[in-house]
Amino acid sequence: MSAVVKKVSQAKRKDPLIDFASLATVGRQASKAARERALENGVSFTFAQNGMIKRRHPDGRTEIIRPMANNNDFPTLEQDLCRD
């Protein structure tokens, strides 16, 4: 008995990680999906917003953990990825 193999075209695909705008978009989408999945599974997550470290709980409550020490400590995406 021979199996039929479906032929797939070989089109060159764009790599989403080529430029920083695409990488940032992929990162935002992945981050959003991870937050939604955490809440669906009853797990809280910690994030930074407006100079504060906060934790969001599955019940919708948001808790302020502490102020961030220095907002300028975070490198830009480009600086972080293009280290020598």
Side-chain angles (χ1 to χ4, degrees):
M1 197 181 227
S2 63
V4 177
V5 178
K6 184 177 179 181
K7 188 173 182 176
V8 179
S9 64
Q10 294 182 342
K12 188 165 183 156
R13 295 186 175 107
K14 289 184 179 180
D15 186 357
L17 305 180
I18 294 295
D19 65 290
F20 293 112
S22 296
L23 182 59
T25 300
V26 169
R28 276 192 301 276
Q29 291 170 348
S31 177
K32 182 179 179 184
R35 290 190 307 266
E36 290 171 355
R37 190 167 180 197
L39 294 177
E40 288 171 1
N41 289 301
V43 177
S44 60
F45 61 89
T46 305
F47 62 100
Q49 182 182 47
N50 299 328
M52 303 296 280
I53 304 293
K54 299 179 179 183
R55 180 171 294 132
R56 178 141 320 129
H57 297 278
D59 62 6
R61 186 171 44 97
T62 301
E63 169 187 9
I64 296 175
I65 305 297
R66 65 177 171 83
M68 291 176 64
N70 187 350
N71 291 347
N72 297 327
D73 285 346
F74 290 100
T76 65
L77 181 61
E78 187 172 2
Q79 290 169 337
D80 193 38
L81 294 176
C82 296
R83 294 183 186 174
D84 290 332

Coordinates of all heavy atoms in Angstrom, one line a residue:
M1 N 0.8 -1.2 0.0 CA 0.0 0.0 0.0 C 0.9 1.2 0.0 O 1.8 1.4 0.8 CB -0.9 -0.1 1.3 CG -2.0 0.8 1.2 SD -2.9 0.7 2.7 CE -4.5 0.5 2.1
S2 N 0.7 2.1 -0.9 CA 1.5 3.3 -1.0 C 0.7 4.5 -0.4 O -0.5 4.6 -0.7 CB 2.0 3.6 -2.4 OG 0.8 3.9 -3.2
A3 N 1.4 5.3 0.3 CA 0.8 6.5 0.9 C 1.0 7.7 -0.1 O 2.0 7.8 -0.8 CB 1.5 6.9 2.2
V4 N 0.0 8.5 -0.1 CA 0.0 9.7 -1.0 C 0.6 10.9 -0.2 O 0.2 11.1 0.9 CB -1.4 10.1 -1.5 CG1 -1.4 11.4 -2.3 CG2 -2.0 9.0 -2.3
V5 N 1.6 11.4 -0.7 CA 2.3 12.6 0.0 C 1.9 13.8 -0.7 O 2.0 14.0 -1.9 CB 3.8 12.4 -0.1 CG1 4.5 13.6 0.6 CG2 4.3 11.1 0.5
K6 N 1.4 14.7 0.1 CA 0.9 16.0 -0.4 C 2.1 16.9 -0.6 O 3.0 17.0 0.3 CB -0.1 16.7 0.6 CG -0.7 18.0 0.0 CD -1.7 18.5 1.0 CE -2.2 19.8 0.5 NZ -3.2 20.4 1.4
K7 N 2.2 17.5 -1.8 CA 3.3 18.4 -2.1 C 3.0 19.8 -1.5 O 1.9 20.3 -1.7 CB 3.5 18.5 -3.6 CG 4.8 19.2 -4.0 CD 5.0 19.1 -5.5 CE 6.3 19.8 -5.8 NZ 6.6 19.7 -7.2
V8 N 4.0 20.4 -0.8 CA 3.8 21.7 -0.2 C 4.8 22.6 -1.0 O 5.9 22.3 -1.2 CB 4.2 21.6 1.3 CG1 4.1 23.0 1.9 CG2 3.4 20.6 2.0
S9 N 4.2 23.8 -1.3 CA 5.0 24.8 -2.0 C 6.1 25.4 -1.1 O 5.8 25.5 0.1 CB 4.2 25.9 -2.6 OG 3.6 26.6 -1.6
Q10 N 7.2 25.7 -1.6 CA 8.3 26.3 -0.8 C 8.4 27.7 -1.1 O 9.1 28.2 -2.0 CB 9.6 25.6 -1.1 CG 9.6 24.1 -0.7 CD 11.0 23.5 -1.0 OE1 11.8 24.0 -1.8 NE2 11.3 22.4 -0.4
A11 N 7.6 28.5 -0.4 CA 7.6 30.0 -0.6 C 8.5 30.5 0.6 O 8.5 30.1 1.7 CB 6.2 30.6 -0.4
K12 N 9.3 31.5 0.2 CA 10.2 32.1 1.2 C 9.4 32.9 2.1 O 8.6 33.8 1.7 CB 11.3 32.9 0.5 CG 12.3 33.4 1.5 CD 13.5 33.9 0.8 CE 14.5 34.3 1.8 NZ 15.9 34.3 1.3
R13 N 9.5 32.6 3.4 CA 8.7 33.4 4.4 C 9.5 34.5 5.0 O 10.7 34.4 5.1 CB 8.2 32.4 5.5 CG 7.2 31.4 4.9 CD 6.7 30.6 6.1 NE 5.7 29.7 5.6 CZ 5.9 28.4 5.5 NH1 7.0 27.8 5.9 NH2 4.9 27.6 5.0
K14 N 8.8 35.6 5.4 CA 9.5 36.6 6.1 C 9.8 36.2 7.5 O 8.9 35.6 8.2 CB 8.7 37.9 6.1 CG 8.5 38.6 4.8 CD 7.8 39.9 4.9 CE 7.6 40.6 3.6 NZ 6.9 41.8 3.7
D15 N 10.9 36.5 8.0 CA 11.3 36.2 9.4 C 10.8 37.3 10.2 O 11.2 38.5 10.1 CB 12.8 36.0 9.5 CG 13.2 35.6 10.9 OD1 12.4 35.5 11.8 OD2 14.4 35.4 11.1
P16 N 9.9 37.1 11.2 CA 9.4 38.2 12.0 C 10.4 38.8 12.9 O 10.1 39.9 13.5 CB 8.2 37.5 12.8 CG 8.6 36.1 12.8 CD 9.3 35.8 11.5
L17 N 11.5 38.1 13.1 CA 12.5 38.7 14.0 C 13.6 39.5 13.3 O 14.6 39.8 13.9 CB 13.1 37.5 14.8 CG 12.1 36.6 15.5 CD1 12.8 35.5 16.3 CD2 11.2 37.4 16.4
I18 N 13.4 39.9 12.1 CA 14.4 40.6 11.3 C 14.5 42.1 11.8 O 15.6 42.6 12.1 CB 14.1 40.6 9.8 CG1 14.2 39.2 9.3 CG2 14.9 41.6 9.1 CD1 15.6 38.7 9.3
D19 N 13.3 42.7 12.0 CA 13.4 44.1 12.5 C 12.8 44.2 13.9 O 12.0 43.4 14.3 CB 12.7 45.0 11.5 CG 11.2 44.8 11.4 OD1 10.9 43.7 10.9 OD2 10.5 45.6 11.9
F20 N 13.1 45.3 14.6 CA 12.7 45.5 15.9 C 11.2 45.8 16.1 O 10.6 45.4 17.1 CB 13.5 46.6 16.6 CG 15.0 46.2 16.7 CD1 15.9 46.9 16.0 CD2 15.4 45.2 17.6 CE1 17.3 46.5 16.1 CE2 16.7 44.8 17.7 CZ 17.6 45.5 17.0
A21 N 10.6 46.4 15.1 CA 9.2 46.6 15.2 C 8.4 45.3 15.1 O 7.5 45.1 15.9 CB 8.7 47.5 14.0
S22 N 8.8 44.4 14.3 CA 8.2 43.1 14.2 C 8.4 42.3 15.5 O 7.5 41.6 16.0 CB 8.7 42.3 13.0 OG 8.3 42.9 11.8
L23 N 9.6 42.4 16.0 CA 10.0 41.7 17.2 C 9.2 42.2 18.4 O 8.7 41.4 19.2 CB 11.5 41.8 17.5 CG 12.0 41.1 18.7 CD1 11.7 39.6 18.6 CD2 13.5 41.4 18.9
A24 N 9.0 43.5 18.5 CA 8.2 44.1 19.5 C 6.7 43.7 19.4 O 6.1 43.4 20.4 CB 8.3 45.6 19.5
T25 N 6.2 43.6 18.2 CA 4.8 43.1 18.0 C 4.7 41.7 18.5 O 3.7 41.3 19.2 CB 4.4 43.3 16.5 OG1 4.5 44.6 16.2 CG2 3.0 42.8 16.3
V26 N 5.6 40.8 18.1 CA 5.6 39.4 18.5 C 5.6 39.3 20.0 O 4.9 38.6 20.6 CB 6.7 38.6 17.8 CG1 6.9 37.3 18.4 CG2 6.5 38.5 16.3
G27 N 6.5 40.1 20.6 CA 6.6 40.1 22.1 C 5.4 40.6 22.8 O 5.0 40.0 23.8
R28 N 4.7 41.6 22.3 CA 3.5 42.1 22.9 C 2.4 41.0 22.8 O 1.7 40.8 23.8 CB 3.0 43.4 22.2 CG 3.6 44.6 22.7 CD 2.9 45.9 22.2 NE 2.9 46.0 20.8 CZ 3.9 46.5 20.0 NH1 5.0 46.9 20.6 NH2 3.8 46.6 18.7
Q29 N 2.3 40.4 21.6 CA 1.3 39.4 21.5 C 1.5 38.2 22.4 O 0.6 37.6 23.0 CB 1.2 38.9 20.0 CG 0.7 39.9 19.1 CD 0.9 39.5 17.6 OE1 1.6 38.6 17.3 NE2 0.3 40.3 16.7
A30 N 2.8 37.8 22.5 CA 3.1 36.6 23.4 C 2.9 37.0 24.9 O 2.4 36.2 25.6 CB 4.6 36.2 23.2
S31 N 3.2 38.2 25.2 CA 3.0 38.7 26.6 C 1.5 38.7 26.9 O 1.1 38.2 28.0 CB 3.6 40.1 26.8 OG 3.4 40.5 28.1
K32 N 0.7 39.2 26.0 CA -0.7 39.3 26.3 C -1.3 37.9 26.4 O -2.1 37.6 27.3 CB -1.4 40.0 25.1 CG -2.9 40.2 25.3 CD -3.5 40.9 24.2 CE -5.0 41.0 24.4 NZ -5.7 41.6 23.3
A33 N -0.9 37.0 25.5 CA -1.4 35.6 25.6 C -1.0 34.9 26.9 O -1.8 34.2 27.5 CB -0.8 34.8 24.4
A34 N 0.3 35.2 27.4 CA 0.7 34.6 28.6 C -0.1 35.1 29.8 O -0.4 34.4 30.7 CB 2.2 34.9 28.8
R35 N -0.4 36.4 29.8 CA -1.1 37.0 30.9 C -2.6 36.4 30.9 O -3.1 36.0 32.0 CB -1.2 38.5 30.8 CG 0.1 39.2 31.0 CD -0.1 40.8 31.1 NE -0.8 41.3 30.0 CZ -0.2 41.8 28.9 NH1 1.2 41.8 28.8 NH2 -0.8 42.3 27.9
E36 N -3.2 36.3 29.8 CA -4.5 35.8 29.7 C -4.5 34.3 30.2 O -5.4 33.9 30.9 CB -5.1 35.9 28.3 CG -5.4 37.3 27.9 CD -5.7 37.4 26.4 OE1 -5.6 36.4 25.6 OE2 -6.1 38.5 26.0
R37 N -3.5 33.6 29.7 CA -3.5 32.1 30.1 C -3.2 32.0 31.6 O -3.8 31.1 32.2 CB -2.3 31.5 29.3 CG -2.3 30.0 29.5 CD -1.4 29.3 28.5 NE -1.5 27.9 28.6 CZ -0.6 27.1 28.1 NH1 0.4 27.6 27.4 NH2 -0.7 25.8 28.3
A38 N -2.4 32.8 32.2 CA -2.1 32.8 33.6 C -3.4 33.0 34.4 O -3.8 32.3 35.3 CB -1.1 33.8 34.0
L39 N -4.2 34.0 34.0 CA -5.4 34.3 34.7 C -6.5 33.2 34.5 O -7.2 32.9 35.5 CB -6.0 35.7 34.2 CG -5.2 36.9 34.5 CD1 -5.8 38.2 33.9 CD2 -5.0 37.1 36.0
E40 N -6.5 32.6 33.3 CA -7.5 31.5 33.1 C -7.1 30.3 34.0 O -8.0 29.6 34.4 CB -7.4 31.1 31.6 CG -8.0 32.0 30.7 CD -7.8 31.7 29.2 OE1 -7.1 30.7 29.0 OE2 -8.2 32.4 28.3
N41 N -5.8 30.2 34.3 CA -5.4 29.0 35.1 C -5.3 29.4 36.6 O -4.8 28.6 37.4 CB -4.1 28.5 34.6 CG -4.2 27.8 33.3 OD1 -5.0 26.8 33.2 ND2 -3.6 28.2 32.3
G42 N -5.8 30.5 37.0 CA -5.8 30.9 38.4 C -4.5 31.3 39.0 O -4.2 31.2 40.2
V43 N -3.6 31.9 38.1 CA -2.3 32.3 38.6 C -2.2 33.8 38.4 O -2.5 34.4 37.4 CB -1.2 31.6 37.7 CG1 0.2 32.0 38.1 CG2 -1.3 30.1 37.8
S44 N -1.6 34.4 39.4 CA -1.4 35.9 39.3 C -0.1 36.1 38.6 O 0.7 35.3 38.4 CB -1.3 36.5 40.7 OG -0.3 36.0 41.5
F45 N 0.1 37.4 38.1 CA 1.3 37.7 37.4 C 1.7 39.1 37.8 O 0.9 39.9 38.3 CB 1.2 37.6 35.9 CG 0.1 38.5 35.3 CD1 0.5 39.8 34.9 CD2 -1.2 38.1 35.1 CE1 -0.5 40.7 34.3 CE2 -2.1 38.9 34.5 CZ -1.8 40.2 34.1
T46 N 3.0 39.4 37.7 CA 3.6 40.7 38.2 C 4.0 41.4 36.9 O 4.5 40.9 36.0 CB 4.8 40.4 39.1 OG1 4.4 39.6 40.2 CG2 5.4 41.7 39.6
F47 N 3.8 42.8 37.0 CA 4.1 43.6 35.8 C 4.5 45.0 36.3 O 4.3 45.3 37.5 CB 3.0 43.7 34.8 CG 1.7 44.3 35.4 CD1 1.4 45.6 35.1 CD2 0.9 43.5 36.2 CE1 0.2 46.1 35.6 CE2 -0.3 44.0 36.7 CZ -0.6 45.4 36.4
A48 N 5.1 45.8 35.4 CA 5.4 47.2 35.7 C 4.5 48.1 35.0 O 4.2 47.9 33.8 CB 6.9 47.5 35.3
Q49 N 4.0 49.1 35.6 CA 3.1 50.1 35.0 C 3.2 51.4 35.7 O 3.1 51.5 37.0 CB 1.7 49.6 35.0 CG 0.7 50.5 34.4 CD -0.7 49.9 34.5 OE1 -1.2 49.5 35.6 NE2 -1.4 49.8 33.4
N50 N 3.4 52.5 35.0 CA 3.5 53.8 35.5 C 4.4 54.0 36.7 O 4.1 54.6 37.7 CB 2.1 54.3 36.0 CG 1.1 54.3 34.8 OD1 1.5 54.6 33.7 ND2 -0.1 54.1 35.1
G51 N 5.6 53.3 36.6 CA 6.6 53.5 37.6 C 6.4 52.6 38.9 O 7.1 52.8 39.9
M52 N 5.4 51.7 38.8 CA 5.1 50.9 39.9 C 5.2 49.4 39.5 O 4.9 49.0 38.4 CB 3.7 51.1 40.5 CG 3.4 52.6 40.9 SD 4.4 53.1 42.2 CE 3.5 52.4 43.6
I53 N 5.6 48.5 40.5 CA 5.6 47.1 40.3 C 4.2 46.6 40.8 O 3.9 46.9 42.0 CB 6.7 46.4 41.0 CG1 8.1 46.9 40.6 CG2 6.6 44.9 40.9 CD1 8.5 46.6 39.2
K54 N 3.4 46.0 40.0 CA 2.1 45.6 40.4 C 1.9 44.1 40.2 O 2.6 43.5 39.4 CB 1.0 46.3 39.6 CG 1.1 47.8 39.8 CD 0.0 48.5 39.0 CE 0.1 50.0 39.2 NZ -1.0 50.7 38.4
R55 N 0.9 43.5 40.9 CA 0.5 42.1 40.7 C -1.0 42.0 40.4 O -1.8 42.6 41.1 CB 0.9 41.3 41.9 CG 0.5 39.8 41.7 CD 1.0 38.9 42.9 NE 2.5 38.9 42.8 CZ 3.2 39.1 43.9 NH1 2.7 39.4 45.1 NH2 4.6 39.1 43.8
R56 N -1.4 41.4 39.3 CA -2.8 41.2 39.0 C -3.2 39.8 39.4 O -2.5 38.8 39.0 CB -3.0 41.4 37.5 CG -4.5 41.1 37.2 CD -5.1 42.0 36.2 NE -4.8 43.4 36.3 CZ -4.4 44.2 35.3 NH1 -4.2 43.7 34.1 NH2 -4.1 45.5 35.5
H57 N -4.3 39.7 40.1 CA -4.7 38.4 40.6 C -5.9 37.9 39.7 O -6.6 38.7 39.0 CB -5.2 38.5 42.0 CG -4.1 38.9 43.0 ND1 -3.3 38.0 43.5 CD2 -3.7 40.1 43.5 CE1 -2.4 38.6 44.3 NE2 -2.7 39.9 44.3
P58 N -6.1 36.6 39.7 CA -7.2 36.0 38.8 C -8.6 36.6 39.1 O -9.4 36.6 38.3 CB -7.1 34.5 39.1 CG -5.8 34.3 39.7 CD -5.4 35.5 40.4
D59 N -8.8 37.1 40.4 CA -10.1 37.6 40.7 C -10.3 39.1 40.2 O -11.3 39.7 40.4 CB -10.4 37.6 42.2 CG -9.4 38.4 43.0 OD1 -8.5 39.1 42.4 OD2 -9.4 38.3 44.3
G60 N -9.3 39.6 39.5 CA -9.4 40.9 38.9 C -8.7 42.0 39.8 O -8.6 43.1 39.3
R61 N -8.4 41.7 41.0 CA -7.8 42.6 41.9 C -6.3 42.9 41.4 O -5.6 42.0 41.0 CB -7.8 42.0 43.3 CG -7.4 42.7 44.4 CD -7.7 42.0 45.7 NE -7.4 40.6 45.7 CZ -6.2 40.0 46.1 NH1 -5.3 40.8 46.7 NH2 -6.0 38.7 46.0
T62 N -5.9 44.2 41.5 CA -4.6 44.6 41.2 C -3.9 45.1 42.5 O -4.5 46.0 43.2 CB -4.5 45.7 40.2 OG1 -5.1 45.2 39.0 CG2 -3.1 46.1 39.8
E63 N -2.8 44.6 42.9 CA -2.1 44.9 44.1 C -0.8 45.7 43.7 O 0.0 45.2 42.8 CB -1.7 43.6 44.8 CG -0.8 43.7 46.0 CD -0.4 42.3 46.5 OE1 -0.8 41.3 45.9 OE2 0.2 42.3 47.5
I64 N -0.5 46.8 44.4 CA 0.8 47.5 44.2 C 1.8 46.9 45.1 O 1.6 46.8 46.3 CB 0.6 49.0 44.5 CG1 -0.4 49.6 43.5 CG2 2.0 49.7 44.4 CD1 -0.7 51.1 43.8
I65 N 2.9 46.4 44.5 CA 4.0 45.8 45.3 C 4.9 46.8 45.8 O 5.2 46.9 47.0 CB 4.7 44.8 44.4 CG1 3.8 43.7 43.8 CG2 5.8 44.1 45.2 CD1 3.0 42.9 44.8
R66 N 5.4 47.7 44.9 CA 6.4 48.7 45.3 C 6.6 49.6 44.1 O 6.4 49.3 43.0 CB 7.7 48.1 45.8 CG 8.5 47.4 44.8 CD 9.8 46.9 45.4 NE 10.5 46.0 44.4 CZ 11.2 46.4 43.4 NH1 11.4 47.7 43.2 NH2 11.8 45.6 42.6
P67 N 7.1 50.8 44.4 CA 7.6 51.7 43.3 C 8.9 51.1 42.7 O 9.7 50.5 43.4 CB 7.8 53.1 43.9 CG 7.7 52.9 45.4 CD 7.2 51.5 45.7
M68 N 9.0 51.4 41.4 CA 10.3 51.0 40.7 C 11.4 51.9 41.2 O 11.1 53.1 41.4 CB 10.1 51.1 39.2 CG 9.1 50.0 38.7 SD 8.9 50.1 36.9 CE 10.5 49.8 36.3
A69 N 12.5 51.4 41.4 CA 13.7 52.2 41.9 C 14.0 53.2 40.8 O 14.2 54.4 41.2 CB 14.9 51.3 42.2
N70 N 14.1 52.8 39.6 CA 14.6 53.8 38.5 C 14.0 53.3 37.2 O 14.4 52.2 36.7 CB 16.1 53.9 38.5 CG 16.6 55.0 37.6 OD1 15.8 55.5 36.8 ND2 17.8 55.3 37.6
N71 N 13.2 54.1 36.6 CA 12.6 53.7 35.3 C 13.6 53.7 34.2 O 13.5 53.0 33.2 CB 11.5 54.6 34.9 CG 10.3 54.5 35.7 OD1 10.2 53.5 36.5 ND2 9.4 55.4 35.6
N72 N 14.7 54.4 34.3 CA 15.8 54.4 33.3 C 16.7 53.2 33.3 O 17.6 53.2 32.5 CB 16.5 55.7 33.4 CG 15.6 56.9 33.2 OD1 14.7 56.9 32.4 ND2 15.9 58.0 33.9
D73 N 16.5 52.3 34.2 CA 17.4 51.1 34.3 C 17.1 50.1 33.2 O 18.0 49.3 32.9 CB 17.2 50.4 35.7 CG 17.8 51.2 36.8 OD1 18.6 52.1 36.6 OD2 17.5 50.8 38.0
F74 N 16.0 50.2 32.6 CA 15.6 49.3 31.5 C 16.2 49.7 30.2 O 15.9 50.8 29.7 CB 14.1 49.1 31.4 CG 13.5 48.4 32.6 CD1 12.9 49.1 33.6 CD2 13.5 47.0 32.7 CE1 12.3 48.5 34.7 CE2 13.0 46.4 33.7 CZ 12.4 47.1 34.7
P75 N 17.0 48.8 29.5 CA 17.5 49.2 28.2 C 16.4 49.1 27.2 O 15.4 48.4 27.4 CB 18.5 48.1 27.9 CG 18.1 47.0 28.8 CD 17.4 47.5 30.0
T76 N 16.5 49.8 26.1 CA 15.5 49.6 25.0 C 15.7 48.2 24.4 O 16.7 47.6 24.7 CB 15.8 50.7 23.9 OG1 17.0 50.4 23.3 CG2 15.7 52.1 24.4
L77 N 14.7 47.8 23.6 CA 14.8 46.5 23.0 C 16.1 46.4 22.1 O 16.8 45.4 22.2 CB 13.6 46.2 22.2 CG 13.5 44.9 21.5 CD1 13.5 43.7 22.5 CD2 12.2 44.8 20.7
E78 N 16.3 47.4 21.4 CA 17.5 47.4 20.5 C 18.8 47.3 21.3 O 19.7 46.6 21.0 CB 17.5 48.7 19.6 CG 18.6 48.7 18.6 CD 18.5 49.8 17.6 OE1 17.6 50.7 17.8 OE2 19.3 49.9 16.7
Q79 N 18.9 48.1 22.4 CA 20.1 48.0 23.3 C 20.3 46.7 23.9 O 21.4 46.1 24.0 CB 20.0 49.1 24.4 CG 20.1 50.5 23.9 CD 19.7 51.5 25.0 OE1 19.0 51.1 26.0 NE2 20.2 52.7 24.9
D80 N 19.2 46.1 24.3 CA 19.2 44.8 24.9 C 19.7 43.7 23.9 O 20.4 42.8 24.3 CB 17.9 44.4 25.5 CG 17.9 43.2 26.4 OD1 18.9 43.1 27.2 OD2 17.0 42.4 26.4
L81 N 19.2 43.7 22.7 CA 19.5 42.7 21.7 C 20.8 42.9 21.0 O 21.4 41.9 20.5 CB 18.4 42.6 20.7 CG 17.1 42.1 21.3 CD1 16.0 42.1 20.2 CD2 17.2 40.7 21.8
C82 N 21.3 44.1 20.9 CA 22.5 44.4 20.1 C 23.7 44.7 21.0 O 24.5 45.6 20.8 CB 22.3 45.6 19.2 SG 21.0 45.3 18.0
R83 N 23.9 43.9 22.0 CA 25.1 44.0 22.9 C 26.3 43.5 22.2 O 26.3 42.5 21.5 CB 24.9 43.3 24.2 CG 23.8 43.8 25.0 CD 23.7 43.1 26.3 NE 22.5 43.5 27.1 CZ 22.1 43.0 28.2 NH1 22.7 42.0 28.7 NH2 21.0 43.4 28.8
D84 N 27.4 44.1 22.4 CA 28.7 43.7 21.9 C 29.3 42.6 22.7 O 29.2 42.5 23.8 CB 29.7 44.8 21.7 CG 29.2 45.8 20.6 OD1 28.5 45.3 19.7 OD2 29.5 46.9 20.7

